[in-house]
Structures are given as structure tokens and as C-alpha cells.
Amino acid sequence: MRDMADEPAPKTYTVLTVILMGLATLLAVVIGFVSFGLYLPNLMTFSQVLSQDHVDKAALAAFLFLSAGPVMAAAGLILGWISFVFFKAPRTGVRLVFFVPVIWVVAVLAYFAVITSACDGSFTCGVSL
């Protein structure tokens, strides 16, 4: 049985974690803003496929994946700041704010590299749903 002397000390906020949280927040806002600007080109690219009666599910998935940048940035910001302020976990908050939008950007860049090199620009090559 544990007594109160074994309780870990609460995490402290250092100047470095506050600066890193500010920089990660700025990066997430920039990623969200830039990816919101990519929504209209995505909509124009997939408009013909998405306006049909029978919507191609692979094209819809590609459209939603490419348009998810603002949602991923907002989710990272909300989860990171909740962790940073309410759960008193500064390092976890910084990681959430930074990595959630950055992982989306890396995944989109990898997707573009694959469709450019292996699929000759077709967004849904090799997928039949």
C-alpha cells in the first residue's frame, strides 16, 4: 500500500517548454492555414468524380485525406493545449501540438510521391472499391 510520500512531484513548466509550445502552436496554425488554402484545388480536382450519382469511394477517401489538414491542425492544438494546461503534462502537450499536423504533412507528401512516381498522377490507381 502506498502512502502520500510516494506521490511523484507535479511536472513543472520551464521557460523552454513554454517557448517550444509557442513555436509548435505557431507551426500548427501555419500548417492549418496553408492546408485550408489547398481545399479549393482539391475540390476542383475531385469535383467530377464526387458529383456523380455513384461516388467512387477511393476518390472520396483521397479527397477527405488531402483536405484533412485544418482538422488535423485543430485536433493537435486542442489536444496539446488540454494536455499542457489541464493535465499538467507540458512535454506531452508540445508533442501533440507538433506531431499531429506534421504527421499529416509527411503522409500527404509521401502520398504525392507515390502517385507521382508509381501511378502517373492518378489519385486512385490500383484501388477498386
Side-chain angles (χ1 to χ4, degrees):
M1 189 161 178
R2 295 179 59 172
D3 60 351
M4 296 306 282
D6 292 342
E7 288 294 320
K11 305 268 192 312
T12 58
Y13 296 104
T14 62
V15 174
L16 180 63
T17 57
V18 173
I19 290 172
L20 287 176
M21 189 62 168
L23 291 174
T25 300
L26 181 65
L27 179 71
V29 168
V30 167
I31 288 173
F33 185 72
V34 170
S35 62
F36 187 71
L38 295 175
Y39 178 74
L40 190 58
N42 286 338
L43 191 60
M44 289 189 305
T45 302
F46 291 101
S47 65
Q48 185 177 7
V49 177
L50 297 177
S51 65
Q52 298 173 354
D53 289 336
H54 178 69
V55 176
D56 184 17
K57 289 179 179 55
L60 179 64
F63 170 71
L64 291 176
F65 168 67
L66 293 173
S67 300
V71 175
M72 296 299 284
L77 282 170
I78 291 169
L79 292 174
W81 276 100
I82 285 174
S83 175
F84 191 80
V85 173
F86 294 119
F87 293 128
K88 306 258 189 283
R91 285 182 278 164
T92 305
V94 171
R95 288 178 188 145
L96 282 170
V97 170
F98 178 75
F99 284 119
V100 173
V102 169
I103 286 173
W104 175 81
V105 167
V106 169
V108 166
L109 291 175
Y111 178 70
F112 280 146
V114 167
I115 65 171
T116 302
S117 64
C119 298
D120 295 327
S122 172
F123 285 97
T124 59
C125 75
V127 178
S128 60
L129 296 175

